Amino acid sequence: VQLQASGGGLVQAGGSLRLSCAASGRTFSTYAMDWFRQAPGKEHEFLASISRGGNQYYADSVKGRFTISRDNAKNTGYLQMNSLKIEDTAVYYCAAGKFAGGSGPYVAWGQGTQVTVSS
């Protein structure tokens, strides 16, 4: 499977963005999908995960603001981000793996999409 993340951009604090993660191939439904981000000078941070069956897991930093979802018919996963904060500025990555929950291992990563939140 190959992944392509998109949907990033510049948004004001308090605004919303929806990221997409498009998967090639017909095996997307057999993988869990996770979202991560990395801000300059910071560690890679787990954000959210969705299992093959649709169970969702979130980091405390985004719980209640971000929503992960998937559309297996479209081979696409999503991350809806609301109430964005300046500290959400980062490059966002999607990843596909066998297990949900943010621990991997992963079989594919998207290329990353930049999200910039301004004041």
Side-chain angles (χ1 to χ4, degrees), residues 19 34-38 45-49 57-63 66 68 79 81 88 91-93:
L19 305 183
D34 295 356
W35 285 94
F36 292 81
R37 68 185 178 192
Q38 188 163 24
E45 179 187 10
F46 166 75
L47 299 176
S49 178
Y57 308 85
Y58 295 95
D60 288 342
S61 59
V62 303
K63 196 175 296 182
F66 291 8
I68 191 171
L79 185 68
M81 306 186 296
D88 292 320
V91 178
Y92 285 67
Y93 300 88

mmCIF file with all atom_site columns, all heavy atoms in Angstrom, residues 19 34-38 45-49 57-63 66 68 79 81 88 91-93:
data_model
loop_
_atom_site.group_PDB
_atom_site.id
_atom_site.type_symbol
_atom_site.label_atom_id
_atom_site.label_alt_id
_atom_site.label_comp_id
_atom_site.label_asym_id
_atom_site.label_entity_id
_atom_site.label_seq_id
_atom_site.pdbx_PDB_ins_code
_atom_site.Cartn_x
_atom_site.Cartn_y
_atom_site.Cartn_z
_atom_site.occupancy
_atom_site.B_iso_or_equiv
_atom_site.pdbx_formal_charge
_atom_site.auth_seq_id
_atom_site.auth_comp_id
_atom_site.auth_asym_id
_atom_site.auth_atom_id
_atom_site.pdbx_PDB_model_num
ATOM 1   N N   . LEU A 1 19 ? -7.687  16.793 6.883  1.00 0.00 ? 19 LEU A N   1
ATOM 2   C CA  . LEU A 1 19 ? -6.615  16.117 6.166  1.00 0.00 ? 19 LEU A CA  1
ATOM 3   C C   . LEU A 1 19 ? -7.136  14.815 5.575  1.00 0.00 ? 19 LEU A C   1
ATOM 4   O O   . LEU A 1 19 ? -7.994  14.153 6.182  1.00 0.00 ? 19 LEU A O   1
ATOM 5   C CB  . LEU A 1 19 ? -5.449  15.838 7.100  1.00 0.00 ? 19 LEU A CB  1
ATOM 6   C CG  . LEU A 1 19 ? -4.866  17.025 7.848  1.00 0.00 ? 19 LEU A CG  1
ATOM 7   C CD1 . LEU A 1 19 ? -3.658  16.580 8.673  1.00 0.00 ? 19 LEU A CD1 1
ATOM 8   C CD2 . LEU A 1 19 ? -4.505  18.153 6.908  1.00 0.00 ? 19 LEU A CD2 1
ATOM 9   N N   . ASP A 1 34 ? -3.115  5.494  11.204 1.00 0.00 ? 34 ASP A N   1
ATOM 10  C CA  . ASP A 1 34 ? -2.755  6.422  12.271 1.00 0.00 ? 34 ASP A CA  1
ATOM 11  C C   . ASP A 1 34 ? -2.353  7.769  11.679 1.00 0.00 ? 34 ASP A C   1
ATOM 12  O O   . ASP A 1 34 ? -1.905  7.850  10.533 1.00 0.00 ? 34 ASP A O   1
ATOM 13  C CB  . ASP A 1 34 ? -1.576  5.896  13.088 1.00 0.00 ? 34 ASP A CB  1
ATOM 14  C CG  . ASP A 1 34 ? -1.907  4.634  13.849 1.00 0.00 ? 34 ASP A CG  1
ATOM 15  O OD1 . ASP A 1 34 ? -3.072  4.186  13.814 1.00 0.00 ? 34 ASP A OD1 1
ATOM 16  O OD2 . ASP A 1 34 ? -0.987  4.087  14.490 1.00 0.00 ? 34 ASP A OD2 1
ATOM 17  N N   . TRP A 1 35 ? -2.474  8.788  12.494 1.00 0.00 ? 35 TRP A N   1
ATOM 18  C CA  . TRP A 1 35 ? -1.963  10.117 12.147 1.00 0.00 ? 35 TRP A CA  1
ATOM 19  C C   . TRP A 1 35 ? -0.944  10.546 13.194 1.00 0.00 ? 35 TRP A C   1
ATOM 20  O O   . TRP A 1 35 ? -1.150  10.338 14.408 1.00 0.00 ? 35 TRP A O   1
ATOM 21  C CB  . TRP A 1 35 ? -3.092  11.144 12.099 1.00 0.00 ? 35 TRP A CB  1
ATOM 22  C CG  . TRP A 1 35 ? -3.960  11.051 10.883 1.00 0.00 ? 35 TRP A CG  1
ATOM 23  C CD1 . TRP A 1 35 ? -5.137  10.363 10.760 1.00 0.00 ? 35 TRP A CD1 1
ATOM 24  C CD2 . TRP A 1 35 ? -3.724  11.667 9.619  1.00 0.00 ? 35 TRP A CD2 1
ATOM 25  N NE1 . TRP A 1 35 ? -5.643  10.518 9.492  1.00 0.00 ? 35 TRP A NE1 1
ATOM 26  C CE2 . TRP A 1 35 ? -4.801  11.315 8.774  1.00 0.00 ? 35 TRP A CE2 1
ATOM 27  C CE3 . TRP A 1 35 ? -2.723  12.487 9.104  1.00 0.00 ? 35 TRP A CE3 1
ATOM 28  C CZ2 . TRP A 1 35 ? -4.900  11.756 7.443  1.00 0.00 ? 35 TRP A CZ2 1
ATOM 29  C CZ3 . TRP A 1 35 ? -2.820  12.922 7.790  1.00 0.00 ? 35 TRP A CZ3 1
ATOM 30  C CH2 . TRP A 1 35 ? -3.890  12.564 6.980  1.00 0.00 ? 35 TRP A CH2 1
ATOM 31  N N   . PHE A 1 36 ? 0.123   11.151 12.698 1.00 0.00 ? 36 PHE A N   1
ATOM 32  C CA  . PHE A 1 36 ? 1.183   11.692 13.534 1.00 0.00 ? 36 PHE A CA  1
ATOM 33  C C   . PHE A 1 36 ? 1.468   13.117 13.075 1.00 0.00 ? 36 PHE A C   1
ATOM 34  O O   . PHE A 1 36 ? 1.034   13.538 12.011 1.00 0.00 ? 36 PHE A O   1
ATOM 35  C CB  . PHE A 1 36 ? 2.473   10.874 13.389 1.00 0.00 ? 36 PHE A CB  1
ATOM 36  C CG  . PHE A 1 36 ? 2.404   9.494  13.942 1.00 0.00 ? 36 PHE A CG  1
ATOM 37  C CD1 . PHE A 1 36 ? 1.816   8.463  13.220 1.00 0.00 ? 36 PHE A CD1 1
ATOM 38  C CD2 . PHE A 1 36 ? 2.929   9.212  15.191 1.00 0.00 ? 36 PHE A CD2 1
ATOM 39  C CE1 . PHE A 1 36 ? 1.759   7.177  13.734 1.00 0.00 ? 36 PHE A CE1 1
ATOM 40  C CE2 . PHE A 1 36 ? 2.879   7.923  15.710 1.00 0.00 ? 36 PHE A CE2 1
ATOM 41  C CZ  . PHE A 1 36 ? 2.297   6.913  14.979 1.00 0.00 ? 36 PHE A CZ  1
ATOM 42  N N   . ARG A 1 37 ? 2.246   13.825 13.862 1.00 0.00 ? 37 ARG A N   1
ATOM 43  C CA  . ARG A 1 37 ? 2.741   15.121 13.424 1.00 0.00 ? 37 ARG A CA  1
ATOM 44  C C   . ARG A 1 37 ? 4.130   15.341 14.012 1.00 0.00 ? 37 ARG A C   1
ATOM 45  O O   . ARG A 1 37 ? 4.514   14.720 14.998 1.00 0.00 ? 37 ARG A O   1
ATOM 46  C CB  . ARG A 1 37 ? 1.811   16.256 13.844 1.00 0.00 ? 37 ARG A CB  1
ATOM 47  C CG  . ARG A 1 37 ? 1.750   16.512 15.349 1.00 0.00 ? 37 ARG A CG  1
ATOM 48  C CD  . ARG A 1 37 ? 0.711   17.556 15.665 1.00 0.00 ? 37 ARG A CD  1
ATOM 49  N NE  . ARG A 1 37 ? 0.580   17.792 17.098 1.00 0.00 ? 37 ARG A NE  1
ATOM 50  C CZ  . ARG A 1 37 ? -0.405  18.483 17.650 1.00 0.00 ? 37 ARG A CZ  1
ATOM 51  N NH1 . ARG A 1 37 ? -1.372  19.024 16.883 1.00 0.00 ? 37 ARG A NH1 1
ATOM 52  N NH2 . ARG A 1 37 ? -0.453  18.658 18.955 1.00 0.00 ? 37 ARG A NH2 1
ATOM 53  N N   . GLN A 1 38 ? 4.843   16.252 13.360 1.00 0.00 ? 38 GLN A N   1
ATOM 54  C CA  . GLN A 1 38 ? 6.147   16.642 13.870 1.00 0.00 ? 38 GLN A CA  1
ATOM 55  C C   . GLN A 1 38 ? 6.325   18.130 13.654 1.00 0.00 ? 38 GLN A C   1
ATOM 56  O O   . GLN A 1 38 ? 6.296   18.605 12.509 1.00 0.00 ? 38 GLN A O   1
ATOM 57  C CB  . GLN A 1 38 ? 7.275   15.857 13.215 1.00 0.00 ? 38 GLN A CB  1
ATOM 58  C CG  . GLN A 1 38 ? 8.621   16.108 13.870 1.00 0.00 ? 38 GLN A CG  1
ATOM 59  C CD  . GLN A 1 38 ? 9.647   15.068 13.508 1.00 0.00 ? 38 GLN A CD  1
ATOM 60  O OE1 . GLN A 1 38 ? 9.560   14.409 12.481 1.00 0.00 ? 38 GLN A OE1 1
ATOM 61  N NE2 . GLN A 1 38 ? 10.651  14.903 14.374 1.00 0.00 ? 38 GLN A NE2 1
ATOM 62  N N   . GLU A 1 45 ? 4.944   12.970 17.110 1.00 0.00 ? 45 GLU A N   1
ATOM 63  C CA  . GLU A 1 45 ? 3.859   12.849 18.079 1.00 0.00 ? 45 GLU A CA  1
ATOM 64  C C   . GLU A 1 45 ? 2.671   12.082 17.512 1.00 0.00 ? 45 GLU A C   1
ATOM 65  O O   . GLU A 1 45 ? 2.126   12.447 16.461 1.00 0.00 ? 45 GLU A O   1
ATOM 66  C CB  . GLU A 1 45 ? 3.395   14.247 18.509 1.00 0.00 ? 45 GLU A CB  1
ATOM 67  C CG  . GLU A 1 45 ? 2.241   14.248 19.503 1.00 0.00 ? 45 GLU A CG  1
ATOM 68  C CD  . GLU A 1 45 ? 1.697   15.642 19.790 1.00 0.00 ? 45 GLU A CD  1
ATOM 69  O OE1 . GLU A 1 45 ? 2.085   16.594 19.070 1.00 0.00 ? 45 GLU A OE1 1
ATOM 70  O OE2 . GLU A 1 45 ? 0.886   15.779 20.721 1.00 0.00 ? 45 GLU A OE2 1
ATOM 71  N N   . PHE A 1 46 ? 2.252   11.048 18.204 1.00 0.00 ? 46 PHE A N   1
ATOM 72  C CA  . PHE A 1 46 ? 1.047   10.308 17.818 1.00 0.00 ? 46 PHE A CA  1
ATOM 73  C C   . PHE A 1 46 ? -0.184  11.161 18.105 1.00 0.00 ? 46 PHE A C   1
ATOM 74  O O   . PHE A 1 46 ? -0.265  11.796 19.161 1.00 0.00 ? 46 PHE A O   1
ATOM 75  C CB  . PHE A 1 46 ? 0.962   8.997  18.603 1.00 0.00 ? 46 PHE A CB  1
ATOM 76  C CG  . PHE A 1 46 ? -0.392  8.341  18.521 1.00 0.00 ? 46 PHE A CG  1
ATOM 77  C CD1 . PHE A 1 46 ? -0.789  7.684  17.376 1.00 0.00 ? 46 PHE A CD1 1
ATOM 78  C CD2 . PHE A 1 46 ? -1.274  8.414  19.593 1.00 0.00 ? 46 PHE A CD2 1
ATOM 79  C CE1 . PHE A 1 46 ? -2.044  7.101  17.301 1.00 0.00 ? 46 PHE A CE1 1
ATOM 80  C CE2 . PHE A 1 46 ? -2.522  7.819  19.529 1.00 0.00 ? 46 PHE A CE2 1
ATOM 81  C CZ  . PHE A 1 46 ? -2.912  7.158  18.375 1.00 0.00 ? 46 PHE A CZ  1
ATOM 82  N N   . LEU A 1 47 ? -1.141  11.143 17.177 1.00 0.00 ? 47 LEU A N   1
ATOM 83  C CA  . LEU A 1 47 ? -2.348  11.932 17.332 1.00 0.00 ? 47 LEU A CA  1
ATOM 84  C C   . LEU A 1 47 ? -3.608  11.075 17.447 1.00 0.00 ? 47 LEU A C   1
ATOM 85  O O   . LEU A 1 47 ? -4.412  11.256 18.356 1.00 0.00 ? 47 LEU A O   1
ATOM 86  C CB  . LEU A 1 47 ? -2.523  12.870 16.137 1.00 0.00 ? 47 LEU A CB  1
ATOM 87  C CG  . LEU A 1 47 ? -1.420  13.884 15.902 1.00 0.00 ? 47 LEU A CG  1
ATOM 88  C CD1 . LEU A 1 47 ? -1.694  14.655 14.621 1.00 0.00 ? 47 LEU A CD1 1
ATOM 89  C CD2 . LEU A 1 47 ? -1.268  14.810 17.078 1.00 0.00 ? 47 LEU A CD2 1
ATOM 90  N N   . ALA A 1 48 ? -3.785  10.178 16.488 1.00 0.00 ? 48 ALA A N   1
ATOM 91  C CA  . ALA A 1 48 ? -5.041  9.437  16.431 1.00 0.00 ? 48 ALA A CA  1
ATOM 92  C C   . ALA A 1 48 ? -4.854  8.170  15.619 1.00 0.00 ? 48 ALA A C   1
ATOM 93  O O   . ALA A 1 48 ? -3.973  8.081  14.766 1.00 0.00 ? 48 ALA A O   1
ATOM 94  C CB  . ALA A 1 48 ? -6.138  10.293 15.804 1.00 0.00 ? 48 ALA A CB  1
ATOM 95  N N   . SER A 1 49 ? -5.719  7.197  15.912 1.00 0.00 ? 49 SER A N   1
ATOM 96  C CA  . SER A 1 49 ? -5.647  5.916  15.230 1.00 0.00 ? 49 SER A CA  1
ATOM 97  C C   . SER A 1 49 ? -7.063  5.389  15.021 1.00 0.00 ? 49 SER A C   1
ATOM 98  O O   . SER A 1 49 ? -7.944  5.602  15.853 1.00 0.00 ? 49 SER A O   1
ATOM 99  C CB  . SER A 1 49 ? -4.843  4.936  16.077 1.00 0.00 ? 49 SER A CB  1
ATOM 100 O OG  . SER A 1 49 ? -4.786  3.665  15.484 1.00 0.00 ? 49 SER A OG  1
ATOM 101 N N   . TYR A 1 57 ? -8.815  5.885  18.545 1.00 0.00 ? 57 TYR A N   1
ATOM 102 C CA  . TYR A 1 57 ? -7.947  6.159  19.678 1.00 0.00 ? 57 TYR A CA  1
ATOM 103 C C   . TYR A 1 57 ? -7.342  7.545  19.465 1.00 0.00 ? 57 TYR A C   1
ATOM 104 O O   . TYR A 1 57 ? -6.976  7.894  18.341 1.00 0.00 ? 57 TYR A O   1
ATOM 105 C CB  . TYR A 1 57 ? -6.834  5.112  19.774 1.00 0.00 ? 57 TYR A CB  1
ATOM 106 C CG  . TYR A 1 57 ? -7.330  3.694  19.769 1.00 0.00 ? 57 TYR A CG  1
ATOM 107 C CD1 . TYR A 1 57 ? -7.575  3.028  18.571 1.00 0.00 ? 57 TYR A CD1 1
ATOM 108 C CD2 . TYR A 1 57 ? -7.565  3.021  20.956 1.00 0.00 ? 57 TYR A CD2 1
ATOM 109 C CE1 . TYR A 1 57 ? -8.053  1.729  18.548 1.00 0.00 ? 57 TYR A CE1 1
ATOM 110 C CE2 . TYR A 1 57 ? -8.030  1.711  20.943 1.00 0.00 ? 57 TYR A CE2 1
ATOM 111 C CZ  . TYR A 1 57 ? -8.269  1.084  19.746 1.00 0.00 ? 57 TYR A CZ  1
ATOM 112 O OH  . TYR A 1 57 ? -8.737  -0.210 19.744 1.00 0.00 ? 57 TYR A OH  1
ATOM 113 N N   . TYR A 1 58 ? -7.214  8.306  20.558 1.00 0.00 ? 58 TYR A N   1
ATOM 114 C CA  . TYR A 1 58 ? -6.708  9.664  20.450 1.00 0.00 ? 58 TYR A CA  1
ATOM 115 C C   . TYR A 1 58 ? -5.679  9.977  21.528 1.00 0.00 ? 58 TYR A C   1
ATOM 116 O O   . TYR A 1 58 ? -5.776  9.496  22.656 1.00 0.00 ? 58 TYR A O   1
ATOM 117 C CB  . TYR A 1 58 ? -7.851  10.681 20.587 1.00 0.00 ? 58 TYR A CB  1
ATOM 118 C CG  . TYR A 1 58 ? -8.868  10.611 19.473 1.00 0.00 ? 58 TYR A CG  1
ATOM 119 C CD1 . TYR A 1 58 ? -10.033 9.860  19.619 1.00 0.00 ? 58 TYR A CD1 1
ATOM 120 C CD2 . TYR A 1 58 ? -8.648  11.287 18.281 1.00 0.00 ? 58 TYR A CD2 1
ATOM 121 C CE1 . TYR A 1 58 ? -10.964 9.788  18.590 1.00 0.00 ? 58 TYR A CE1 1
ATOM 122 C CE2 . TYR A 1 58 ? -9.579  11.222 17.253 1.00 0.00 ? 58 TYR A CE2 1
ATOM 123 C CZ  . TYR A 1 58 ? -10.728 10.469 17.417 1.00 0.00 ? 58 TYR A CZ  1
ATOM 124 O OH  . TYR A 1 58 ? -11.634 10.402 16.391 1.00 0.00 ? 58 TYR A OH  1
ATOM 125 N N   . ALA A 1 59 ? -4.730  10.819 21.151 1.00 0.00 ? 59 ALA A N   1
ATOM 126 C CA  . ALA A 1 59 ? -3.829  11.395 22.144 1.00 0.00 ? 59 ALA A CA  1
ATOM 127 C C   . ALA A 1 59 ? -4.595  12.447 22.942 1.00 0.00 ? 59 ALA A C   1
ATOM 128 O O   . ALA A 1 59 ? -5.506  13.098 22.419 1.00 0.00 ? 59 ALA A O   1
ATOM 129 C CB  . ALA A 1 59 ? -2.631  12.024 21.453 1.00 0.00 ? 59 ALA A CB  1
ATOM 130 N N   . ASP A 1 60 ? -4.212  12.623 24.180 1.00 0.00 ? 60 ASP A N   1
ATOM 131 C CA  . ASP A 1 60 ? -4.901  13.594 25.029 1.00 0.00 ? 60 ASP A CA  1
ATOM 132 C C   . ASP A 1 60 ? -4.827  15.006 24.450 1.00 0.00 ? 60 ASP A C   1
ATOM 133 O O   . ASP A 1 60 ? -5.752  15.803 24.629 1.00 0.00 ? 60 ASP A O   1
ATOM 134 C CB  . ASP A 1 60 ? -4.294  13.583 26.433 1.00 0.00 ? 60 ASP A CB  1
ATOM 135 C CG  . ASP A 1 60 ? -4.649  12.327 27.207 1.00 0.00 ? 60 ASP A CG  1
ATOM 136 O OD1 . ASP A 1 60 ? -5.617  11.636 26.804 1.00 0.00 ? 60 ASP A OD1 1
ATOM 137 O OD2 . ASP A 1 60 ? -3.970  12.038 28.191 1.00 0.00 ? 60 ASP A OD2 1
ATOM 138 N N   . SER A 1 61 ? -3.749  15.291 23.736 1.00 0.00 ? 61 SER A N   1
ATOM 139 C CA  . SER A 1 61 ? -3.544  16.642 23.215 1.00 0.00 ? 61 SER A CA  1
ATOM 140 C C   . SER A 1 61 ? -4.568  17.031 22.154 1.00 0.00 ? 61 SER A C   1
ATOM 141 O O   . SER A 1 61 ? -4.765  18.223 21.893 1.00 0.00 ? 61 SER A O   1
ATOM 142 C CB  . SER A 1 61 ? -2.137  16.776 22.635 1.00 0.00 ? 61 SER A CB  1
ATOM 143 O OG  . SER A 1 61 ? -1.930  15.831 21.597 1.00 0.00 ? 61 SER A OG  1
ATOM 144 N N   . VAL A 1 62 ? -5.221  16.046 21.542 1.00 0.00 ? 62 VAL A N   1
ATOM 145 C CA  . VAL A 1 62 ? -6.170  16.364 20.471 1.00 0.00 ? 62 VAL A CA  1
ATOM 146 C C   . VAL A 1 62 ? -7.572  15.825 20.739 1.00 0.00 ? 62 VAL A C   1
ATOM 147 O O   . VAL A 1 62 ? -8.495  16.088 19.957 1.00 0.00 ? 62 VAL A O   1
ATOM 148 C CB  . VAL A 1 62 ? -5.669  15.834 19.106 1.00 0.00 ? 62 VAL A CB  1
ATOM 149 C CG1 . VAL A 1 62 ? -4.295  16.414 18.799 1.00 0.00 ? 62 VAL A CG1 1
ATOM 150 C CG2 . VAL A 1 62 ? -5.647  14.312 19.067 1.00 0.00 ? 62 VAL A CG2 1
ATOM 151 N N   . LYS A 1 63 ? -7.737  15.093 21.800 1.00 0.00 ? 63 LYS A N   1
ATOM 152 C CA  . LYS A 1 63 ? -9.041  14.503 22.115 1.00 0.00 ? 63 LYS A CA  1
ATOM 153 C C   . LYS A 1 63 ? -10.087 15.597 22.264 1.00 0.00 ? 63 LYS A C   1
ATOM 154 O O   . LYS A 1 63 ? -9.863  16.599 22.943 1.00 0.00 ? 63 LYS A O   1
ATOM 155 C CB  . LYS A 1 63 ? -8.932  13.685 23.396 1.00 0.00 ? 63 LYS A CB  1
ATOM 156 C CG  . LYS A 1 63 ? -10.076 12.723 23.637 1.00 0.00 ? 63 LYS A CG  1
ATOM 157 C CD  . LYS A 1 63 ? -9.797  11.872 24.872 1.00 0.00 ? 63 LYS A CD  1
ATOM 158 C CE  . LYS A 1 63 ? -8.588  10.990 24.696 1.00 0.00 ? 63 LYS A CE  1
ATOM 159 N NZ  . LYS A 1 63 ? -8.341  10.128 25.872 1.00 0.00 ? 63 LYS A NZ  1
ATOM 160 N N   . PHE A 1 66 ? -9.964  16.761 17.467 1.00 0.00 ? 66 PHE A N   1
ATOM 161 C CA  . PHE A 1 66 ? -9.685  16.052 16.219 1.00 0.00 ? 66 PHE A CA  1
ATOM 162 C C   . PHE A 1 66 ? -10.548 14.796 16.144 1.00 0.00 ? 66 PHE A C   1
ATOM 163 O O   . PHE A 1 66 ? -10.812 14.150 17.168 1.00 0.00 ? 66 PHE A O   1
ATOM 164 C CB  . PHE A 1 66 ? -8.218  15.645 16.147 1.00 0.00 ? 66 PHE A CB  1
ATOM 165 C CG  . PHE A 1 66 ? -7.238  16.772 15.990 1.00 0.00 ? 66 PHE A CG  1
ATOM 166 C CD1 . PHE A 1 66 ? -7.620  18.109 16.089 1.00 0.00 ? 66 PHE A CD1 1
ATOM 167 C CD2 . PHE A 1 66 ? -5.900  16.497 15.716 1.00 0.00 ? 66 PHE A CD2 1
ATOM 168 C CE1 . PHE A 1 66 ? -6.714  19.140 15.941 1.00 0.00 ? 66 PHE A CE1 1
ATOM 169 C CE2 . PHE A 1 66 ? -4.972  17.519 15.563 1.00 0.00 ? 66 PHE A CE2 1
ATOM 170 C CZ  . PHE A 1 66 ? -5.378  18.838 15.690 1.00 0.00 ? 66 PHE A CZ  1
ATOM 171 N N   . ILE A 1 68 ? -10.813 11.208 13.783 1.00 0.00 ? 68 ILE A N   1
ATOM 172 C CA  . ILE A 1 68 ? -10.267 10.345 12.734 1.00 0.00 ? 68 ILE A CA  1
ATOM 173 C C   . ILE A 1 68 ? -11.412 9.517  12.159 1.00 0.00 ? 68 ILE A C   1
ATOM 174 O O   . ILE A 1 68 ? -12.332 9.107  12.877 1.00 0.00 ? 68 ILE A O   1
ATOM 175 C CB  . ILE A 1 68 ? -9.138  9.450  13.285 1.00 0.00 ? 68 ILE A CB  1
ATOM 176 C CG1 . ILE A 1 68 ? -8.393  8.761  12.143 1.00 0.00 ? 68 ILE A CG1 1
ATOM 177 C CG2 . ILE A 1 68 ? -9.664  8.447  14.298 1.00 0.00 ? 68 ILE A CG2 1
ATOM 178 C CD1 . ILE A 1 68 ? -7.126  8.041  12.596 1.00 0.00 ? 68 ILE A CD1 1
ATOM 179 N N   . LEU A 1 79 ? -8.557  13.085 8.811  1.00 0.00 ? 79 LEU A N   1
ATOM 180 C CA  . LEU A 1 79 ? -8.380  13.652 10.143 1.00 0.00 ? 79 LEU A CA  1
ATOM 181 C C   . LEU A 1 79 ? -9.034  15.029 10.123 1.00 0.00 ? 79 LEU A C   1
ATOM 182 O O   . LEU A 1 79 ? -8.511  15.951 9.510  1.00 0.00 ? 79 LEU A O   1
ATOM 183 C CB  . LEU A 1 79 ? -6.908  13.763 10.525 1.00 0.00 ? 79 LEU A CB  1
ATOM 184 C CG  . LEU A 1 79 ? -6.660  14.227 11.955 1.00 0.00 ? 79 LEU A CG  1
ATOM 185 C CD1 . LEU A 1 79 ? -7.124  13.152 12.950 1.00 0.00 ? 79 LEU A CD1 1
ATOM 186 C CD2 . LEU A 1 79 ? -5.186  14.552 12.191 1.00 0.00 ? 79 LEU A CD2 1
ATOM 187 N N   . MET A 1 81 ? -9.828  18.329 11.885 1.00 0.00 ? 81 MET A N   1
ATOM 188 C CA  . MET A 1 81 ? -9.186  19.093 12.960 1.00 0.00 ? 81 MET A CA  1
ATOM 189 C C   . MET A 1 81 ? -9.968  20.375 13.197 1.00 0.00 ? 81 MET A C   1
ATOM 190 O O   . MET A 1 81 ? -10.079 21.214 12.295 1.00 0.00 ? 81 MET A O   1
ATOM 191 C CB  . MET A 1 81 ? -7.744  19.407 12.588 1.00 0.00 ? 81 MET A CB  1
ATOM 192 C CG  . MET A 1 81 ? -6.929  18.179 12.213 1.00 0.00 ? 81 MET A CG  1
ATOM 193 S SD  . MET A 1 81 ? -5.186  18.544 11.947 1.00 0.00 ? 81 MET A SD  1
ATOM 194 C CE  . MET A 1 81 ? -5.267  19.624 10.523 1.00 0.00 ? 81 MET A CE  1
ATOM 195 N N   . ASP A 1 88 ? -0.607  23.608 17.141 1.00 0.00 ? 88 ASP A N   1
ATOM 196 C CA  . ASP A 1 88 ? -0.900  22.500 16.228 1.00 0.00 ? 88 ASP A CA  1
ATOM 197 C C   . ASP A 1 88 ? -0.089  22.611 14.940 1.00 0.00 ? 88 ASP A C   1
ATOM 198 O O   . ASP A 1 88 ? -0.132  21.702 14.100 1.00 0.00 ? 88 ASP A O   1
ATOM 199 C CB  . ASP A 1 88 ? -2.388  22.464 15.879 1.00 0.00 ? 88 ASP A CB  1
ATOM 200 C CG  . ASP A 1 88 ? -3.269  22.094 17.062 1.00 0.00 ? 88 ASP A CG  1
ATOM 201 O OD1 . ASP A 1 88 ? -2.877  21.208 17.832 1.00 0.00 ? 88 ASP A OD1 1
ATOM 202 O OD2 . ASP A 1 88 ? -4.347  22.704 17.202 1.00 0.00 ? 88 ASP A OD2 1
ATOM 203 N N   . VAL A 1 91 ? 4.129   19.369 10.542 1.00 0.00 ? 91 VAL A N   1
ATOM 204 C CA  . VAL A 1 91 ? 3.910   18.518 9.377  1.00 0.00 ? 91 VAL A CA  1
ATOM 205 C C   . VAL A 1 91 ? 3.151   17.279 9.863  1.00 0.00 ? 91 VAL A C   1
ATOM 206 O O   . VAL A 1 91 ? 3.556   16.649 10.843 1.00 0.00 ? 91 VAL A O   1
ATOM 207 C CB  . VAL A 1 91 ? 5.231   18.106 8.716  1.00 0.00 ? 91 VAL A CB  1
ATOM 208 C CG1 . VAL A 1 91 ? 4.961   17.176 7.534  1.00 0.00 ? 91 VAL A CG1 1
ATOM 209 C CG2 . VAL A 1 91 ? 6.003   19.334 8.248  1.00 0.00 ? 91 VAL A CG2 1
ATOM 210 N N   . TYR A 1 92 ? 2.066   16.964 9.173  1.00 0.00 ? 92 TYR A N   1
ATOM 211 C CA  . TYR A 1 92 ? 1.199   15.862 9.570  1.00 0.00 ? 92 TYR A CA  1
ATOM 212 C C   . TYR A 1 92 ? 1.403   14.687 8.620  1.00 0.00 ? 92 TYR A C   1
ATOM 213 O O   . TYR A 1 92 ? 1.437   14.857 7.400  1.00 0.00 ? 92 TYR A O   1
ATOM 214 C CB  . TYR A 1 92 ? -0.255  16.310 9.557  1.00 0.00 ? 92 TYR A CB  1
ATOM 215 C CG  . TYR A 1 92 ? -0.607  17.187 10.731 1.00 0.00 ? 92 TYR A CG  1
ATOM 216 C CD1 . TYR A 1 92 ? -0.055  18.454 10.864 1.00 0.00 ? 92 TYR A CD1 1
ATOM 217 C CD2 . TYR A 1 92 ? -1.481  16.737 11.720 1.00 0.00 ? 92 TYR A CD2 1
ATOM 218 C CE1 . TYR A 1 92 ? -0.362  19.261 11.956 1.00 0.00 ? 92 TYR A CE1 1
ATOM 219 C CE2 . TYR A 1 92 ? -1.802  17.539 12.814 1.00 0.00 ? 92 TYR A CE2 1
ATOM 220 C CZ  . TYR A 1 92 ? -1.230  18.788 12.925 1.00 0.00 ? 92 TYR A CZ  1
ATOM 221 O OH  . TYR A 1 92 ? -1.539  19.578 14.013 1.00 0.00 ? 92 TYR A OH  1
ATOM 222 N N   . TYR A 1 93 ? 1.497   13.496 9.212  1.00 0.00 ? 93 TYR A N   1
ATOM 223 C CA  . TYR A 1 93 ? 1.738   12.281 8.456  1.00 0.00 ? 93 TYR A CA  1
ATOM 224 C C   . TYR A 1 93 ? 0.666   11.248 8.760  1.00 0.00 ? 93 TYR A C   1
ATOM 225 O O   . TYR A 1 93 ? 0.214   11.121 9.901  1.00 0.00 ? 93 TYR A O   1
ATOM 226 C CB  . TYR A 1 93 ? 3.083   11.666 8.846  1.00 0.00 ? 93 TYR A CB  1
ATOM 227 C CG  . TYR A 1 93 ? 4.275   12.542 8.621  1.00 0.00 ? 93 TYR A CG  1
ATOM 228 C CD1 . TYR A 1 93 ? 4.716   13.435 9.598  1.00 0.00 ? 93 TYR A CD1 1
ATOM 229 C CD2 . TYR A 1 93 ? 4.997   12.473 7.423  1.00 0.00 ? 93 TYR A CD2 1
ATOM 230 C CE1 . TYR A 1 93 ? 5.822   14.244 9.395  1.00 0.00 ? 93 TYR A CE1 1
ATOM 231 C CE2 . TYR A 1 93 ? 6.101   13.280 7.212  1.00 0.00 ? 93 TYR A CE2 1
ATOM 232 C CZ  . TYR A 1 93 ? 6.509   14.152 8.191  1.00 0.00 ? 93 TYR A CZ  1
ATOM 233 O OH  . TYR A 1 93 ? 7.606   14.946 7.977  1.00 0.00 ? 93 TYR A OH  1
#
